[in-house]
Structure formats: structure tokens, C-alpha cells
Amino acid sequence: MLNISCPMPKLDFDTINLGHGSGGVLTHRLLDAGVFSLLDNVWLREQHDGAKLDIEGPVAFTTDSFVVSPIFFPGGNIGDLAVNGTVNDLAMCGAIPKFLSLGLILEEGLEIAELWEVLVAIRNACAAAGVHVVTGDTKVVERGKGDKIFINTTGIGTYHPKASIHMSRVEVGDKIILSGPLANHGICIMSKREGLEFETDVETDSTFLSDLTLDLLDHFGEDIHFFRDPTRGGLGTVMAEIAHQGQMGIDLFQKSLPMDDQVAGACEMLGLDPLYVANEGLFVTFVKAEAAEAVVDCLHQHQKGQRAAIIGEVTEEHPGKVVLTSLIGGQRIVNMLPGEQLPRIC
């Protein structure tokens, strides 16, 4: 991701107060000094109630909200997480991300310096992913009614001409490919929240994934049957959802799951199953078996995909269920996460 710093302008207020949500002078001063200056583009410059967009053909449309605590964590913050999360939802549809809306709910007392850092992260993440914030909204709630800042983002993208991404296209024999190592984001948030220390910082894997998905569609087209990003609920929940909805059997192989040693050790220490820990910068794809090795080779050409691996396959056996083969050859059913293993991770 781009990491372009930008000095914060001198303002005569240091924290957010209720007047910044009034729609009056304070609101305009805040937006002019932050949102409009950092995210400037021809659409946002209109400062209208909405943006006029010229889009040809079918579009993908998604929305998401981000309430992560803490709002700053190793490798990112709530700002770039919001952009990347929405861009990735579009990418999972086989779309080319184009435009975002940005809704900010600010808590009274939020330091302006913190807001500025979040906005800079949003600007950098948008520039890296090639998307534009074209409309938005800002509200302020009383102290104690929020948690510094909540963000809502809505995304619009145009479909890749070779995209045919539907669960109905998943078929027996398809190979399942994971684009990178498991559980980094969830463990990063947990370590920061709980003050846990490791030999090296575990950083979030939050990044935009559209460059990988679009490259796969460019090269393999309809051999790519399905995408999904295993965010909340982790890989285990996503696999169980797909197996249930498609009434297909899924076999996963623990020995093939990429994971950093530090993250695996943290999961063991905390009693967490990495299959259910959140991720924000990887995806699974179901691909035609004959293309699987070439797809992995293609992903390995990207820095974000260097740890990509075939982790399982679709089978006629046990329809509607996911079966994980362990390192020692035992098998267990992988169900959906029954509750919240790690709260407030996105």
C-alpha cells in the first residue's frame, strides 16, 4: 500500500465536539481541512448531496461498516481497513473497484490528530487500490456513545469481462486455493487489545486484493469459479457456509494451510482455532482442477500471493459438510463459528 505522509494543517481546535456534526461552520471547517483536501477529486469537489457517475454495463454494489477496536494497530488503522474491506468485497464479485462513499461517525472528544491519521490512511489506501471517494457523510455523537470513530463505506465497481463468479459454478473436483497465510489480522487485533507481546510484531494482513483477482480473471477467465474472502468467522466459517449453501462436500488439508509460526503459536497460547480467526487480506478461490497449479503459480508472482497454496477440493462425499484432515491423519467436521471468537475485529 502507498504510504504518503501529509502534514496536518494548523487548526484552532484539537478535538471533535458536537458542533462538528451540526452541519454549520464547524462542520465545513473540519471537512475543508480534512476530507475535501485529502480526498480531492472531480466528483467530491462538487460537494453535492450525491455524485453523478458514468458507468457502462452491469455494476457490483456493496456496503460495509467498520467498528474495530482499537482503531490503530500494527500495519494499519480503521481507515485503510475500511477502504480495503470494501474494495475486496467488490473484487470477490469479479468486479473492478471504481468508487466509494465514506460515512464517518465521530465521537465527541476524538483528537483531530487521530482523525487526520485515519483520513491519510484512507487517502493512501484509495490511491493504492485505484478507487475514488465520491460522496459521504459525517455525524458526531456524544462522548461515550461511540468508540472514537466508526466508518461506513459503500463501493461500486464494473464487472471484469471474463468474470463469471457464482457459487452455482462450483463443481466436484474443483481445487480450493488460499491466497496467503491465515489469522494474521485477528491475532494482530487481539495482541494490541490485550497488550500481548511477541518476539516480533504480528501485523494485520489488511490490503486490497483486486490486483490479484483481476490478474487471475485476465489469465484464466471462466476457470475461476468462485471467490470469497474469509473475514469475520475466518476460513472455517466461510467453507462451512459454502458447503451448506451449495450442498457440496469440501475436503481441507491442515498440512497445506499456510500460517506464520508466530501466529500459530499465538493461537495455541490463546486457545484459538486459526480456522475461525479473522483475515482481511486474503481470499479463497474455487478453480477448475486442471488450472489449479497454474493459478497458484500466477499468485506466486504477486508479493501478496507468495504463500498461496491449494488447501482442499470439492468432493461428492459428505455433501453439505466440510471435513478437515489433520496433520496426523485424523478427520473432523468444520462447522460455522457458533459465537464471536474475537469481537470488534473489523
Side-chain angles (χ1 to χ4, degrees):
M1 187 184 75
L2 295 177
N3 188 16
I4 303 172
S5 61
C6 187
M8 189 177 76
K10 291 183 178 179
L11 301 171
D12 55 5
F13 46 86
D14 296 323
T15 60
I16 293 294
N17 63 57
L18 292 177
H20 288 114
S22 67
V25 173
L26 285 179
T27 301
H28 285 271
R29 287 169 62 190
L30 176 65
L31 295 178
D32 287 342
V35 174
F36 294 139
S37 62
L38 281 173
L39 305 180
D40 180 58
N41 58 62
V42 296
W43 300 276
L44 201 59
R45 213 170 292 153
E46 293 288 330
Q47 297 188 25
H48 204 343
D49 286 343
K52 179 182 179 181
L53 307 175
D54 294 318
I55 301 174
E56 295 183 4
V59 299
F61 180 64
T62 187
T63 191
D64 207 346
S65 298
F66 297 83
V67 297
V68 64
S69 178
I71 64 171
F72 298 102
F73 40 83
N77 66 50
I78 192 173
D80 47 52
L81 181 67
V83 172
N84 291 334
T86 303
V87 165
N88 291 346
D89 284 346
L90 292 171
M92 296 305 102
C93 298
I96 305 164
K98 296 287 187 181
F99 304 108
L100 299 180
S101 71
L102 176 66
L104 302 175
I105 298 177
L106 310 178
E107 184 185 23
E108 181 186 16
L110 171 68
E111 294 183 8
I112 296 297
E114 292 184 316
L115 175 59
W116 183 261
E117 188 173 346
V118 169
L119 291 173
V120 170
I122 289 171
R123 190 273 304 270
N124 291 342
C126 285
V131 296
H132 300 284
V133 172
V134 296
T135 190
D137 183 53
T138 302
K139 294 292 189 297
V140 178
V141 298
E142 295 90 342
R143 191 185 303 268
K145 296 293 183 64
D147 196 351
K148 292 191 174 182
I149 179 173
F150 297 153
I151 298 178
N152 173 269
T153 42
T154 294
I156 294 176
T158 56
Y159 279 95
H160 188 287
K162 294 183 179 179
S164 183
I165 308 300
H166 304 285
M167 189 181 298
S168 61
R169 298 195 63 235
V170 176
E171 58 190 28
V172 171
D174 276 2
K175 300 298 184 182
I176 304 168
I177 297 169
L178 182 66
S179 68
L182 279 174
N184 286 52
H185 179 72
I187 293 301
C188 164
I189 297 299
M190 173 61 82
S191 64
K192 183 69 174 177
R193 186 183 296 156
E194 303 299 330
L196 302 177
E197 294 185 2
F198 305 108
E199 291 182 5
T200 60
D201 276 342
V202 176
E203 292 193 350
T204 178
D205 62 350
S206 173
T207 188
F208 70 100
L209 298 168
S210 51
D211 52 344
L212 275 68
T213 57
L214 296 177
D215 195 24
L216 293 185
L217 291 170
D218 282 341
H219 286 89
F220 301 100
E222 291 197 354
D223 287 343
I224 307 297
H225 293 164
F226 195 59
F227 289 125
R228 180 68 66 86
D229 55 342
T231 51
R232 287 180 299 171
L235 178 67
T237 294
V238 163
M239 291 293 100
E241 287 175 347
I242 294 170
H244 174 72
Q245 292 175 18
Q247 280 302 295
M248 64 190 77
I250 292 178
D251 286 332
L252 296 179
F253 308 107
Q254 187 177 9
K255 66 179 181 181
S256 301
L257 295 173
M259 193 180 327
D260 293 335
D261 291 341
Q262 187 119 308
V263 172
C267 287
E268 185 174 358
M269 179 180 69
L270 296 168
L272 300 174
D273 186 339
L275 283 177
Y276 299 108
V277 175
N279 313 274
E280 289 290 347
L282 69 157
F283 63 90
V284 288
T285 181
F286 289 68
V287 306
K288 197 172 184 64
E290 293 81 0
E293 293 292 346
V295 168
V296 171
D297 289 342
C298 183
L299 287 170
H300 287 169
Q301 303 307 308
H302 294 265
Q303 183 177 1
K304 302 171 191 175
Q306 290 180 353
R307 302 274 299 280
I310 299 171
I311 63 167
E313 61 188 13
V314 180
T315 176
E316 290 180 331
E317 306 298 323
H318 51 80
K321 293 182 174 59
V322 179
V323 174
L324 176 74
T325 301
S326 72
L327 295 175
I328 59 174
Q331 292 186 323
R332 69 177 174 95
I333 299 293
V334 176
N335 294 309
M336 295 184 194
L337 183 65
E340 190 69 72
Q341 187 172 226
L342 290 177
R344 302 282 298 281
I345 48 77
C346 67

